[in-house]
PDB file of all heavy atoms in Angstrom:
ATOM      1  N   GLN O 106      -1.571  -8.630   3.720  1.00  0.00           N
ATOM      2  CA  GLN O 106      -1.780  -9.468   4.905  1.00  0.00           C
ATOM      3  C   GLN O 106      -1.055  -8.882   6.107  1.00  0.00           C
ATOM      4  O   GLN O 106      -1.588  -8.849   7.225  1.00  0.00           O
ATOM      5  CB  GLN O 106      -1.287 -10.886   4.624  1.00  0.00           C
ATOM      6  CG  GLN O 106      -1.491 -11.853   5.791  1.00  0.00           C
ATOM      7  CD  GLN O 106      -2.941 -12.252   5.984  1.00  0.00           C
ATOM      8  OE1 GLN O 106      -3.443 -13.104   5.284  1.00  0.00           O
ATOM      9  NE2 GLN O 106      -3.627 -11.619   6.928  1.00  0.00           N
ATOM     10  N   PHE O 107       0.175  -8.386   5.883  1.00  0.00           N
ATOM     11  CA  PHE O 107       0.945  -7.759   6.961  1.00  0.00           C
ATOM     12  C   PHE O 107       0.228  -6.512   7.486  1.00  0.00           C
ATOM     13  O   PHE O 107       0.149  -6.288   8.706  1.00  0.00           O
ATOM     14  CB  PHE O 107       2.343  -7.403   6.446  1.00  0.00           C
ATOM     15  CG  PHE O 107       3.152  -6.573   7.394  1.00  0.00           C
ATOM     16  CD1 PHE O 107       3.491  -7.044   8.656  1.00  0.00           C
ATOM     17  CD2 PHE O 107       3.580  -5.308   7.031  1.00  0.00           C
ATOM     18  CE1 PHE O 107       4.229  -6.270   9.541  1.00  0.00           C
ATOM     19  CE2 PHE O 107       4.327  -4.528   7.899  1.00  0.00           C
ATOM     20  CZ  PHE O 107       4.650  -5.008   9.156  1.00  0.00           C
ATOM     21  N   PHE O 108      -0.292  -5.698   6.587  1.00  0.00           N
ATOM     22  CA  PHE O 108      -1.049  -4.499   6.962  1.00  0.00           C
ATOM     23  C   PHE O 108      -2.244  -4.862   7.841  1.00  0.00           C
ATOM     24  O   PHE O 108      -2.447  -4.306   8.924  1.00  0.00           O
ATOM     25  CB  PHE O 108      -1.495  -3.796   5.681  1.00  0.00           C
ATOM     26  CG  PHE O 108      -2.340  -2.559   5.866  1.00  0.00           C
ATOM     27  CD1 PHE O 108      -2.262  -1.767   6.995  1.00  0.00           C
ATOM     28  CD2 PHE O 108      -3.233  -2.184   4.857  1.00  0.00           C
ATOM     29  CE1 PHE O 108      -3.031  -0.616   7.133  1.00  0.00           C
ATOM     30  CE2 PHE O 108      -4.009  -1.052   4.979  1.00  0.00           C
ATOM     31  CZ  PHE O 108      -3.915  -0.265   6.128  1.00  0.00           C
ATOM     32  N   VAL O 109      -3.030  -5.812   7.366  1.00  0.00           N
ATOM     33  CA  VAL O 109      -4.230  -6.212   8.102  1.00  0.00           C
ATOM     34  C   VAL O 109      -3.863  -6.805   9.458  1.00  0.00           C
ATOM     35  O   VAL O 109      -4.507  -6.527  10.476  1.00  0.00           O
ATOM     36  CB  VAL O 109      -5.062  -7.212   7.269  1.00  0.00           C
ATOM     37  CG1 VAL O 109      -6.211  -7.783   8.089  1.00  0.00           C
ATOM     38  CG2 VAL O 109      -5.611  -6.532   6.017  1.00  0.00           C
ATOM     39  N   ASN O 110      -2.804  -7.601   9.507  1.00  0.00           N
ATOM     40  CA  ASN O 110      -2.365  -8.174  10.780  1.00  0.00           C
ATOM     41  C   ASN O 110      -1.903  -7.087  11.741  1.00  0.00           C
ATOM     42  O   ASN O 110      -2.096  -7.192  12.960  1.00  0.00           O
ATOM     43  CB  ASN O 110      -1.230  -9.174  10.552  1.00  0.00           C
ATOM     44  CG  ASN O 110      -1.716 -10.481   9.958  1.00  0.00           C
ATOM     45  OD1 ASN O 110      -2.906 -10.787  10.008  1.00  0.00           O
ATOM     46  ND2 ASN O 110      -0.815 -11.247   9.377  1.00  0.00           N
ATOM     47  N   THR O 111      -1.286  -6.035  11.220  1.00  0.00           N
ATOM     48  CA  THR O 111      -0.785  -4.945  12.059  1.00  0.00           C
ATOM     49  C   THR O 111      -1.918  -4.199  12.747  1.00  0.00           C
ATOM     50  O   THR O 111      -1.805  -3.814  13.920  1.00  0.00           O
ATOM     51  CB  THR O 111       0.059  -3.963  11.221  1.00  0.00           C
ATOM     52  OG1 THR O 111       1.156  -4.662  10.619  1.00  0.00           O
ATOM     53  CG2 THR O 111       0.622  -2.843  12.095  1.00  0.00           C
ATOM     54  N   VAL O 112      -3.026  -3.993  12.038  1.00  0.00           N
ATOM     55  CA  VAL O 112      -4.138  -3.224  12.621  1.00  0.00           C
ATOM     56  C   VAL O 112      -5.183  -4.121  13.281  1.00  0.00           C
ATOM     57  O   VAL O 112      -6.186  -3.625  13.799  1.00  0.00           O
ATOM     58  CB  VAL O 112      -4.813  -2.328  11.555  1.00  0.00           C
ATOM     59  CG1 VAL O 112      -3.799  -1.407  10.917  1.00  0.00           C
ATOM     60  CG2 VAL O 112      -5.523  -3.155  10.486  1.00  0.00           C
ATOM     61  N   ARG O 113      -4.934  -5.420  13.254  1.00  0.00           N
ATOM     62  CA  ARG O 113      -5.907  -6.351  13.828  1.00  0.00           C
ATOM     63  C   ARG O 113      -6.164  -6.026  15.304  1.00  0.00           C
ATOM     64  O   ARG O 113      -5.247  -5.764  16.061  1.00  0.00           O
ATOM     65  CB  ARG O 113      -5.409  -7.790  13.690  1.00  0.00           C
ATOM     66  CG  ARG O 113      -6.517  -8.809  13.972  1.00  0.00           C
ATOM     67  CD  ARG O 113      -6.049 -10.224  13.697  1.00  0.00           C
ATOM     68  NE  ARG O 113      -5.504 -10.422  12.373  1.00  0.00           N
ATOM     69  CZ  ARG O 113      -6.222 -10.425  11.254  1.00  0.00           C
ATOM     70  NH1 ARG O 113      -7.530 -10.218  11.313  1.00  0.00           N
ATOM     71  NH2 ARG O 113      -5.648 -10.611  10.078  1.00  0.00           N
ATOM     72  N   GLY O 114      -7.437  -6.055  15.676  1.00  0.00           N
ATOM     73  CA  GLY O 114      -7.808  -5.771  17.061  1.00  0.00           C
ATOM     74  C   GLY O 114      -8.042  -4.302  17.343  1.00  0.00           C
ATOM     75  O   GLY O 114      -8.534  -3.946  18.416  1.00  0.00           O
ATOM     76  N   LYS O 115      -7.699  -3.424  16.392  1.00  0.00           N
ATOM     77  CA  LYS O 115      -7.885  -1.981  16.568  1.00  0.00           C
ATOM     78  C   LYS O 115      -9.288  -1.585  16.091  1.00  0.00           C
ATOM     79  O   LYS O 115      -9.845  -2.187  15.175  1.00  0.00           O
ATOM     80  CB  LYS O 115      -6.833  -1.203  15.773  1.00  0.00           C
ATOM     81  CG  LYS O 115      -5.391  -1.505  16.166  1.00  0.00           C
ATOM     82  CD  LYS O 115      -5.074  -0.929  17.531  1.00  0.00           C
ATOM     83  CE  LYS O 115      -3.586  -0.960  17.837  1.00  0.00           C
ATOM     84  NZ  LYS O 115      -3.062  -2.313  18.068  1.00  0.00           N
ATOM     85  N   GLU O 116      -9.833  -0.550  16.699  1.00  0.00           N
ATOM     86  CA  GLU O 116     -11.124  -0.020  16.277  1.00  0.00           C
ATOM     87  C   GLU O 116     -10.900   1.199  15.390  1.00  0.00           C
ATOM     88  O   GLU O 116     -10.074   2.059  15.704  1.00  0.00           O
ATOM     89  CB  GLU O 116     -11.969   0.356  17.495  1.00  0.00           C
ATOM     90  CG  GLU O 116     -12.364  -0.844  18.356  1.00  0.00           C
ATOM     91  CD  GLU O 116     -13.254  -0.447  19.527  1.00  0.00           C
ATOM     92  OE1 GLU O 116     -13.254   0.757  19.869  1.00  0.00           O
ATOM     93  OE2 GLU O 116     -13.950  -1.311  20.064  1.00  0.00           O
TER      94      GLU O 116
END
Side-chain angles (χ1 to χ4, degrees):
Q106 181 73 80
F107 171 61
F108 178 27
V109 172
N110 286 342
T111 301
V112 303
R113 193 174 306 289
K115 300 289 192 290
E116 295 182 341

